[in-house]
Amino acid sequence: MFVTGLVLAAEGSPQLGVPRQLLAYQGDTLLGASLEIARDCGFDQLIVTLGTASEQVRERVDLDGARVVESPHADTGSSSIVPALDVVDRRTDGIVVMLGDQPGVTSATVWSLVAEVAGPSTPIGVSRYENGRGNPCWFGRELFGELRQLRHDQDIWGVIDTGRHPVTDVDAVGNVPLRVESWGDYESLVAQPNAVDVETPVVPPASVPTRGRITRRSFRRRRV
């Protein structure tokens, strides 16, 4: 299985007055920390979408290993997923959608999601936390045509909830990780206990198959 990770970071932050992607977080930026988690997932391809703050983000965030897709109209409601689909590798079996302002998602959650949707074709996979559904989400290649019709990135939940496609809910630990849409969200995020003393595995469980099978080689950073 060939898996593409898609980190959505094009949405603006009018309530904050500054690009949320560049807010400080554990010695990095919010987007930088989110991308580091995405790199740890060892996707066969990694894509990140950027919006009107693209120039500032490029100056301050390490985008190594990610294919950058410009989506300057995301602030006015256009979906950044649509242009991202244009650069998805033709070998891709599906995409894992993550958010650039949600650094609390873990690579283990992504690996569990991919493990559940691998094998027989699964159109949609959703992480099911203790307090409801959340990202990351999986969309198989057969859904790409429908995703191209999205008007807003958040409309992926409409695709999930229509009932037209089978949805696999995959258990995830804890509550839906916080994302930053207001200063209150940011204050809550940075106030959370720092889990740096928790050791994160270098490679995913062997049960998570991708193209050929995810290995240490495929989990190293890649330059795109």
Side-chain angles (χ1 to χ4, degrees):
M1 178 177 280
F2 192 107
V3 179
T4 292
L6 174 57
V7 178
L8 304 180
E11 187 178 357
S13 47
Q15 294 185 45
L16 296 172
V18 296
R20 75 180 79 186
Q21 298 89 343
L22 301 180
L23 292 174
Y25 182 75
Q26 294 188 359
D28 200 342
T29 61
L30 200 59
L31 176 56
S34 299
L35 279 174
E36 193 61 30
I37 296 298
R39 292 189 188 96
D40 287 343
C41 295
F43 295 115
D44 296 291
Q45 179 189 26
L46 178 59
I47 299 171
V48 59
T49 63
L50 299 180
T52 54
S54 174
E55 185 175 346
Q56 295 167 274
V57 170
R58 286 177 181 272
E59 291 176 353
R60 294 187 53 192
V61 177
D62 179 8
L63 301 173
D64 181 42
R67 173 72 179 270
V68 177
V69 173
E70 301 283 351
S71 184
H73 302 297
D75 286 347
T76 58
S78 298
S79 172
S80 67
I81 295 174
V82 176
L85 290 172
D86 290 336
V87 303
V88 169
D89 193 287
R90 60 181 177 79
R91 296 167 292 177
T92 295
D93 294 286
I95 60 175
V96 173
V97 177
M98 303 174 68
L99 303 179
D101 63 347
Q102 196 177 37
V105 169
T106 67
S107 53
T109 299
V110 173
W111 296 335
S112 295
L113 178 69
V114 174
E116 287 291 330
V117 301
S121 178
T122 302
I124 300 175
V126 181
S127 298
R128 168 73 73 172
Y129 297 89
E130 293 177 9
N131 62 340
R133 286 172 164 175
N135 291 92
C137 299
W138 159 271
F139 294 93
R141 176 172 284 278
E142 62 267 43
L143 266 294
F144 287 5
E146 190 162 339
L147 294 181
R148 287 186 180 278
Q149 306 306 311
L150 297 178
R151 298 189 63 184
H152 312 284
D153 285 346
Q154 58 266 34
D155 289 345
I156 60 172
W157 294 101
V159 176
I160 292 169
D161 295 333
T162 59
R164 292 195 300 269
H165 310 285
V167 177
T168 299
D169 285 288
V170 181
D171 288 340
V173 177
N175 291 331
V176 177
L178 292 175
R179 59 173 307 198
V180 177
E181 297 181 284
S182 68
W183 284 114
D185 295 337
Y186 179 58
E187 291 169 357
S188 297
L189 179 66
V190 298
Q192 289 184 323
N194 193 327
V196 293
D197 57 324
V198 179
E199 184 177 352
T200 301
V202 177
V203 294
S207 62
V208 182
T210 61
R211 186 171 53 99
R213 179 180 171 272
I214 291 180
T215 63
R216 291 178 185 267
R217 174 189 59 77
S218 65
F219 262 69
R220 288 199 292 265
R221 289 191 188 180
R222 301 176 178 202
R223 289 185 179 272
V224 179

